Amino acid sequence: MNRISKKLEENKKLLSIYFTAGYPAIEDTVPVIEALQDSGVDMLEIGLPFSDPLADGPTIQASSTQALKNGMTTEKLFQQLKDIRKTVHIPLIIMGYFNPILQYDVEAFCQKCSDIGIDGLIIPDLPVDVYHEQYQAIFEKHGLINVFLITPQTSEARIRFIDSVSNGFIYMVSSASVTGAKSNFGDAQSEYFERIANMNLKAPQIVGFGISNAETFKAATTHAKGAIIGSAFIKMIQEKGIKGIDAFVKGIQ
């Protein structure tokens, strides 16, 4: 069974952390992964930096720009992760945009992910219909879970189609905006979380965008299986480095 599927079966609220590969320094990727695992994080999203990100707020954009300046590439990331399963057992997901994957070749990219032990992909700009028609068979052949995003504006029909295609979790974007930390959620977001919960989807939901502290983590996971923290983590690591990871994670759960 895929590590993501196993993790989703655990009787707990899951904390996933997003970070940008090759940031703050080019060789920080593996040390960050290992430190996050040691601190008790359930799942990791490894950001493959891209020069033209659509959904990223200023914090993650800045980290991607720096990572690219540092020399991060798709091939460099694969080289860094080639032995990752010798030390890391939690689910690993690569989050990136479709252009670099297409340039690398979708089949070759999926094969490489499978070889090194990546469990899934999040590709915000790959429409679910295109995935279903052209790429689903490739992903499934290599044992990869593809995670789709929904927002408060996504229609019920589309959400149900995404649910039917999903074999992992659904990434529930907390609001119609780019990534970025918030101190709390408003009534509209709480109503959205409850509305999706009441749809009784087969795929569990994990909330992302705007999770920054224990309060927002608790609010996001009242109805959902887990939550993802990105911008707040990147700000912390920019200020405190890898040594700040354990205290950051302990302060969330």
Side-chain angles (χ1 to χ4, degrees), residues 13 172 189-198 205 207 218-226:
K13 300 296 187 179
M172 195 160 83
Q189 284 159 318
S190 299
E191 288 166 12
Y192 161 58
F193 297 157
E194 191 169 352
R195 172 169 61 86
I196 300 301
N198 289 337
Q205 301 93 57
V207 180
K218 184 178 179 183
T221 57
T222 301
H223 298 288
K225 178 63 179 173

Side-chain angles (χ1 to χ4, degrees), residues 40-77:
V41 168
D42 295 294
M43 199 155 46
L44 291 182
E45 294 173 18
I46 304 164
L48 179 60
F50 182 51
S51 57
D52 191 23
L54 299 174
D56 297 335
T59 301
I60 293 177
Q61 277 197 33
S63 69
S64 291
T65 299
Q66 185 59 52
L68 291 169
K69 286 179 181 173
N70 291 345
M72 180 51 67
T73 63
T74 304
E75 192 56 57
K76 176 68 174 172
L77 178 60

Side-chain angles (χ1 to χ4, degrees), residues 95-123:
M95 183 169 186
Y97 292 90
F98 193 53
N99 188 281
I101 297 170
L102 196 59
Q103 287 185 344
Y104 195 90
D105 180 76
V106 176
E107 176 97 43
F109 189 93
C110 290
Q111 177 69 63
K112 199 76 173 176
C113 286
S114 177
D115 290 346
I116 63 180
I118 296 298
D119 303 292
L121 298 172
I122 302 173
I123 311 168

Side-chain angles (χ1 to χ4, degrees), residues 217-237:
F217 179 81
K218 184 178 179 183
T221 57
T222 301
H223 298 288
K225 178 63 179 173
I228 302 154
I229 297 179
S231 297
F233 176 76
I234 287 172
K235 283 179 182 173
M236 183 285 297
I237 207 168

